């Protein structure tokens, strides 16, 4: 272990008058044989933050911040980042994310017991060159098991966000929760309602990328399964969880609505996993209200917008996700005429690649078939023909500008709407893209609207 640590950290440990430990992720990674994409270090010691910060500064570290109340210090040396924490014990008010009281201590066992999972409570004494394992975390890492540092009810009761962190840790590491850990999460799942929407969204986004840190294949799917099995999904995304056990046509689907949604996220690339997870979120609503799934993409768009607003997701992500959900069903059976497909491609060319990714993930999730979806082949061939024909996909590619249309008689307030319609017309008739023809078409559109 010592040989993988930065030289600067080893020098700092050598001059500290107290033992300095690496704890948490670095120890876990080393013992599990995992390689992180990015290296940062959690370190700790039985020392007050001011004392440690002064020693680190003398050793050449940049001290970025010191938090006396929590005993934490953030440091940097070269490209490496460090977060120091004084040994401490915390007291929480049930369900609240921030400890009500913090007590500094020199007892490593007390420090270990204030953490979340035993795999994160393994310490490495840098100078002594040995691991310290107060709670049996090394055995849990070998067994690929996530176990709480204390009775699960207490650990999750102290901080409801740990309910989602459990899912993320399992997916990120490829570990499984112990029986007691999962049962404790189920019993305390309602506590997630006490966590802010921003924190829930941040953790959910991390869950959807859980496969990336250590390259655990389908790690994000494993994380979503833990989120479902712990009951937390029912509180975070109740509209989605309502599809659990909701059967689908066996000739098209091997899985119920919820499992299909999780598998769609499983097979989706990182940039569309929110859309993949929510693409069928309208199905439970439609089935409960009509007994059918017809029109679920329409309700799904509405529900997706509501969910993303509730989670306070970034506006651009929310908008793209809702649009993808609305479009995912179009031409699923490949029966739409090419002219209609061209219009849809033109109107949504800014998200065409993501739409193809979603259609592919949806197809793969039906029967775990990773071959190319027929609708994806069809649409990509059509888009390739459009490109070869010189179809304009943006206003910049049109042979006429907005000021030219206005000069020809198009009302200024309607110019944007007319340009969008011209782009869609050019998708079917690329030869329309000349200044004269576009101007005439624009005036016809204005005239038709007046007549209507």
């Amino acid at each position: 272990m010592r040989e993988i640590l930065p030289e600067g950290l080893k020098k700092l440990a050598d001059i500290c008058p107290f033992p300095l430990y690496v704890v948490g992720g670095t120890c876990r990674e080393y013992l599990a044989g995992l390689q992180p994409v990015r290296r940062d270090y959690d370190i700790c010691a039985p020392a007050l933050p001011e004392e440690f910060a002064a020693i680190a500064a003398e050793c050449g570290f940049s001290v970025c911040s010191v938090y006396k109340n929590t005993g934490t210090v953030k440091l940097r040396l070269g490209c490496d980042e460090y977060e120091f924490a004084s040994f401490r014990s915390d007291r929480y008010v049930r369900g609240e994310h921030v400890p009500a009281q913090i007590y500094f201590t020199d007892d490593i066992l007390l420090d270990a017991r204030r953490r979340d999972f035993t795999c994160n409570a393994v310490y490495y004494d840098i100078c002594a060159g040995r691991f310290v394992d107060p709670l049996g975390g090394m055995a849990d890492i070998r067994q690929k098991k996530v176990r709480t540092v204390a009775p699960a009810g207490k650990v999750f009761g102290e901080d409801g966000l740990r309910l989602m962190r459990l899912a993320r840790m399992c997916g990120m590491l490829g570990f499984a929760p112990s029986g007691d850990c999962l049962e404790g999460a189920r019993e305390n799942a309602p506590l997630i309602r006490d966590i802010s929407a921003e924190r829930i969204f941040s953790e959910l986004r991390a869950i959807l990328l859980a496969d990336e840190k250590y390259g655990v294949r389908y790690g994000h799917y494993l994380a979503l399964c833990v989120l479902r099995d712990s009951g937390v999904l029912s509180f975070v995304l109740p509209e989605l969880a309502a599809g659990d056990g909701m059967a689908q046509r066996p000739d098209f689907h091997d899985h119920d609505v919820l499992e299909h949604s999780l598998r769609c996220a499983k097979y989706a690339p990182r940039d569309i996993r929110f859309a993949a997870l929510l693409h069928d979120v309208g199905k439970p609503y439609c089935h409960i209200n009509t007994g059918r799934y017809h029109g679920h993409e329409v309700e799904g768009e509405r529900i997706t917008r509501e969910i993303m607003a509730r989670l306070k997701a970034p506006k651009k992500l929310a908008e793209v996700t809702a649009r993808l959900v609305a479009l995912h069903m179009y031409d699923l059976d490949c029966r739409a005429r090419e002219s209609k497909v061209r219009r849809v491609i033109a109107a949504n060319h800014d998200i065409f690649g993501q739409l193809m990714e979603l259609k592919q993930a949806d197809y793969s999730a039906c029967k775990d078939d990773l071959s190319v979806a027929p609708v994806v082949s069809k649409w990509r061939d059509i888009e390739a023909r459009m490109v070869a024909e010189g179809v304009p996909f943006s206003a910049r590619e049109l042979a006429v500008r907005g000021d030219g249309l206005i000069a020809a008689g198009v009302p200024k307030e309607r110019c944007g709407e007319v340009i969008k319609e011209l782009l869609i017309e050019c998708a079917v008739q690329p030869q329309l893209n000349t200044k004269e023809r576009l101007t005439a078409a624009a005036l016809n559109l204005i005239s038709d609207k007046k007549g209507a």
Side-chain angles (χ1 to χ4, degrees):
M1 172 77 171
R2 185 177 167 88
E3 63 269 17
I4 72 167
L5 299 178
E7 289 301 317
L9 179 57
K10 289 186 277 192
K11 289 178 182 177
L12 176 59
D14 289 339
I15 68 170
C16 283
F18 42 76
L20 183 64
Y21 299 88
V22 178
V23 68
T26 303
C27 296
R28 186 186 65 223
E29 291 158 2
Y30 179 82
L31 293 167
L34 298 169
Q35 295 296 322
V37 173
R38 177 176 175 274
R39 176 68 74 184
D40 52 25
Y41 300 88
D42 290 323
I43 53 179
C44 59
L48 293 176
E50 307 95 313
E51 177 187 9
F52 173 78
I55 296 170
E58 288 178 12
C59 199
F61 283 73
S62 298
V63 178
C64 304
S65 53
V66 179
Y67 302 94
K68 295 181 181 180
N69 290 340
T70 59
T72 56
V73 180
K74 292 191 176 182
L75 310 162
R76 183 186 293 275
L77 184 63
C79 297
D80 296 322
E81 296 180 358
Y82 303 83
E83 183 167 317
F84 169 86
S86 303
F87 279 8
R88 68 178 192 253
S89 180
D90 302 328
R91 185 180 71 80
Y92 284 82
V93 173
R94 180 173 170 79
E96 294 193 6
H97 181 62
V98 179
Q101 286 183 294
I102 293 173
Y103 309 90
F104 296 116
T105 180
D106 59 2
D107 188 337
I108 197 170
L109 179 59
L110 287 178
D111 188 72
R113 283 177 174 163
R114 62 101 179 167
R115 298 179 183 274
D116 49 10
F117 308 113
T118 58
C119 61
N120 295 329
V122 177
Y123 301 71
Y124 181 76
D125 185 328
I126 300 172
C127 283
R130 66 184 181 90
F131 286 99
V132 181
D133 185 16
L135 301 172
M138 294 175 74
D140 290 333
I141 292 169
R142 285 193 295 271
Q143 296 170 25
K144 296 188 174 184
K145 179 169 63 177
V146 178
R147 184 169 57 89
T148 52
V149 298
K154 176 180 182 297
V155 170
F156 294 120
E158 288 175 347
D159 181 0
L161 197 61
R162 288 172 173 169
L163 294 158
M164 296 189 75
R165 182 170 165 80
L166 168 66
R168 176 164 61 86
M169 291 286 295
C170 289
M172 186 175 73
L173 298 167
F175 288 12
S178 69
D180 288 346
C181 181
L182 189 60
E183 184 58 34
R186 286 196 199 101
E187 292 173 357
N188 288 274
L191 291 177
I192 198 65
R193 294 181 298 196
D194 299 328
I195 304 300
S196 70
E198 293 88 348
R199 287 187 175 273
I200 289 174
F201 173 77
S202 177
E203 199 64 37
L204 184 58
R205 176 147 58 183
I207 282 171
L208 288 174
L209 300 177
D211 60 321
E212 293 190 350
K213 184 163 187 179
Y214 301 117
V216 174
R217 193 179 189 208
Y218 300 141
H220 55 295
Y221 170 70
L222 299 177
L224 288 168
C225 289
V226 173
L227 205 63
R228 174 197 61 199
D229 297 343
S230 65
V232 177
L233 187 66
S234 296
F235 293 96
V236 174
L237 295 173
E239 305 92 337
L240 180 68
D244 194 10
M246 200 169 275
Q248 304 191 84
R249 283 181 54 174
D251 50 339
F252 290 124
H253 291 275
D254 285 349
H255 313 290
D256 65 31
V257 172
L258 177 57
E259 179 62 21
H260 170 75
S261 298
L262 302 188
R263 287 178 186 250
C264 189
K266 172 182 179 177
Y267 297 124
R270 72 188 314 272
D271 62 325
I272 61 148
R273 284 181 183 165
F274 270 103
L277 184 64
L278 298 176
H279 79 287
D280 276 349
V281 74
K283 279 187 174 179
Y285 177 89
C286 289
H287 191 269
I288 290 167
N289 285 278
T290 69
R292 303 168 62 205
Y293 295 135
H294 180 72
H296 72 271
E297 69 276 19
V298 177
E299 295 298 341
E301 179 188 9
R302 174 184 63 80
I303 294 168
T304 295
R305 291 186 185 278
E306 291 174 357
I307 288 172
M308 298 302 266
R310 184 176 75 227
L311 294 176
K312 300 184 179 179
K315 288 183 180 179
K316 183 176 180 180
L317 174 64
E319 179 63 24
V320 170
T321 300
R323 286 174 63 194
L324 290 171
V325 170
L327 290 165
H328 82 275
M329 282 292 291
Y330 189 77
D331 197 28
L332 197 67
D333 57 4
C334 292
R335 293 182 180 178
R337 293 197 304 273
E338 181 168 330
S339 58
K340 289 188 174 182
V341 173
R342 282 174 171 252
R343 288 187 168 92
V344 174
I345 291 175
N348 298 281
H349 199 257
D350 59 318
I351 58 169
F352 176 76
Q354 292 166 301
L355 181 58
M356 293 302 96
E357 290 172 343
L358 179 57
K359 284 182 172 290
Q360 179 61 56
D362 188 14
Y363 175 82
S364 295
C366 291
K367 290 184 173 289
D368 299 296
D369 182 353
L370 301 184
S371 64
V372 178
V375 67
V376 171
S377 294
K378 173 185 173 181
W379 281 45
R380 287 202 180 279
D381 286 346
I382 292 173
E383 196 248 1
R385 286 197 292 274
M386 293 169 72
V387 171
E389 292 165 5
V391 169
F393 291 109
S394 69
R396 291 192 306 273
E397 298 175 58
L398 286 174
V400 69
R401 297 287 180 265
D403 53 358
L405 292 175
I406 293 169
V410 175
K412 184 177 181 179
E413 66 274 10
R414 296 195 56 194
C415 195
E417 168 198 341
V418 168
I419 286 174
K420 287 181 181 178
E421 293 194 41
L422 291 177
L423 284 168
I424 292 173
E425 289 304 313
C426 285
V428 182
Q429 304 177 69
Q431 68 275 14
L432 190 64
N433 193 23
T434 68
K435 183 177 180 180
E436 295 76 15
R437 290 175 178 175
L438 289 175
T439 302
L443 294 176
N444 284 337
L445 286 169
I446 297 298
S447 176
D448 290 346
K449 291 288 175 68
K450 285 181 179 178

